[in-house]
Amino acid sequence: DGGITQSPKYLFRKEGQNVTLSCEQNLNHDAMYWYRQDPGQGLRLIYYSQIVNDFQKGDIAEGYSVSREKKESFPLTVTSAQKNPTAFYLCATKGRVWGTGELFFGEGSRLTVL
Amino acid sequence: QKEVEQDPGPLSVPEGAIVSLNCTYSNSAFQYFMWYRQYSRKGPELLMYTYSSGNKEDGRFTAQVDKSSKYISLFIRDSQPSDSATYLCAMSAMSGNTGKLIFGQGTTLQVKP
């Protein structure tokens, strides 16, 4: 089935540790995005990539890093520099043509810092 | 002031009620307006899409955009318990992959049987 796979679904981390969230897609979409969702704050853009080997910072990139070595994959690393990393993280993709403007989302990864 | 404001609720209604969800925005350049539905512990999915001003209807759902007032609405008729979810408005000024979506905070809706 075509779609976006995020893993792990739940992740616990100790303070001071880096953690990497995986996002894989088989929709053949060019653009990929990482959002963070906190209660009462909606979705905030962390990083996005429009093509392989290129990515841009979003509104809240501090403490995060990404790579885009393959079209299918856009992993997000939450570093120890991120002050408040506990959140629900969503990966999304968008096809080449705007069309309906639809972002396709994965199921999300919930990160908890202990 | 946030670019997009949405009442977070929660909103609780009885089954069969008409539900009105609203967002206001400050950026007059926004032209593309969307509503996403997000079930608990899931990713959002696109529910409705509207370009510029006007109404769009899809089954029990109607999306309205009033650009002069910078106000958008989503109406749900004959609401069902399966409509219980968080509804996020989103908007963008540009098309294509460079068009960055700005999301509202989301409104949590509960429809009681």
Side-chain angles (χ1 to χ4, degrees):
Chain A
D1 285 355
I4 302 166
T5 302
Q6 287 188 241
S7 62
K9 201 170 179 66
Y10 298 96
L11 186 61
F12 297 88
R13 188 194 94 176
K14 293 182 180 179
E15 281 194 33
Q17 288 181 335
N18 291 355
V19 62
T20 297
L21 307 180
S22 170
C23 179
E24 301 281 330
Q25 58 110 349
N26 59 7
L27 300 169
N28 199 32
H29 285 172
D30 290 307
M32 297 187 73
Y33 304 77
W34 275 106
Y35 286 89
R36 170 180 171 140
Q37 187 173 30
D38 297 280
Q41 296 208 46
L43 273 63
R44 293 183 290 167
L45 182 63
I46 304 172
Y47 267 98
Y48 65 102
S49 168
Q50 297 181 31
I51 55 172
V52 175
N53 293 322
D54 187 50
F55 48 83
Q56 285 79 41
K57 292 182 179 180
D59 301 316
I60 56 165
E62 186 176 348
Y64 300 97
S65 65
V66 293
S67 63
R68 187 83 187 277
E69 296 177 1
K70 299 186 300 182
K71 187 175 183 178
E72 300 80 15
S73 180
F74 191 40
L76 174 75
T77 297
V78 185
T79 75
S80 56
Q82 169 49 232
K83 296 286 190 288
N84 185 21
T86 294
F88 189 51
Y89 291 88
L90 287 159
C91 177
T93 70
K94 188 191 294 184
R96 183 186 299 275
V97 177
W98 175 262
T100 60
E102 183 171 6
L103 279 175
F104 293 84
F105 286 89
E107 297 266 287
S109 292
R110 184 166 297 280
L111 172 63
T112 303
V113 173
L114 303 173
Chain B
Q1 182 190 4
K2 293 185 178 181
E3 278 191 285
V4 179
E5 296 277 0
Q6 184 177 4
D7 186 343
L11 185 61
S12 182
V13 301
E15 184 176 352
I18 296 174
V19 176
S20 171
L21 305 169
N22 311 295
C23 289
T24 59
Y25 63 94
S26 57
N27 188 346
S28 57
F30 286 147
Q31 298 186 75
Y32 304 88
F33 303 93
M34 281 144 270
W35 286 96
Y36 283 80
R37 179 174 59 194
Q38 184 179 22
Y39 290 115
S40 182
R41 301 187 190 90
K42 301 289 187 184
E45 56 182 349
L46 183 68
L47 189 61
M48 298 284 284
Y49 164 83
T50 309
Y51 171 68
S52 194
S53 285
N55 293 359
K56 186 171 185 178
E57 189 173 321
D58 183 3
R60 296 183 296 109
F61 299 89
T62 300
Q64 286 187 352
V65 175
D66 181 350
K67 291 188 72 179
S68 62
S69 301
K70 297 191 181 69
Y71 189 88
I72 71 170
S73 300
L74 177 71
F75 296 96
I76 307 175
R77 290 184 300 279
D78 187 25
S79 56
Q80 302 295 309
S82 58
D83 295 327
S84 298
T86 296
Y87 291 81
L88 297 146
C89 63
M91 45 199 82
S92 174
M94 295 172 60
S95 63
N97 286 339
T98 55
K100 193 172 78 170
L101 279 182
I102 308 298
F103 286 85
Q105 297 94 314
T107 300
T108 299
L109 170 68
Q110 183 182 29
V111 181
K112 295 183 176 180

